Amino acid sequence: MGEALDRGMVLALSIWDDGATNMRWLDSTFPPHDSPQRLGVQRGPCDGSTSNPQFVRSHHAAATVKYMNIRHGEIGSTTPGAQTRRLESILV
């Protein structure tokens, strides 16, 4: 990763929906038929009932997004005075 960062990268941001998995991979149970107790399956609190593209498009047809105050720099350098913490790793 370090070598790739040294070569330079482009930040790309977008708003989209997902017809293949209904965005369950992001913040729900995925794969949806696996046990939520299995490591890595429960990815967030959403039940997935409103994340299919048809629902999202019909209920949020005018959705927009505005990205603001984007910062870049060395880790910990963009938020002066902020406490940093390291998340523990889980080895399987």
Side-chain angles (χ1 to χ4, degrees):
M1 183 74 175
E3 290 177 12
L5 289 170
D6 287 340
R7 290 191 300 270
M9 295 189 159
V10 174
L11 175 64
L13 305 169
S14 64
I15 184 170
W16 53 281
D17 58 32
D18 173 19
T21 67
N22 294 334
M23 303 297 279
R24 289 179 179 268
W25 59 269
L26 181 62
D27 57 4
S28 183
T29 301
F30 188 79
H33 303 295
D34 274 6
S35 169
Q37 283 71 41
R38 192 170 144 235
L39 185 63
V41 173
Q42 188 64 43
R43 301 172 184 207
C46 297
D47 67 7
S49 64
T50 59
S51 58
N52 68 73
Q54 294 77 20
F55 181 90
V56 172
R57 292 175 190 175
S58 67
H59 287 79
H60 306 285
T64 62
V65 64
K66 183 188 290 189
Y67 299 104
M68 302 171 26
N69 300 323
I70 296 173
R71 301 173 182 184
H72 66 91
E74 295 294 321
I75 294 176
S77 70
T78 61
T79 51
Q83 295 290 327
T84 58
R85 67 183 179 97
R86 191 181 235 2
L87 298 177
E88 292 184 30
S89 298
I90 298 174
L91 297 176
V92 180

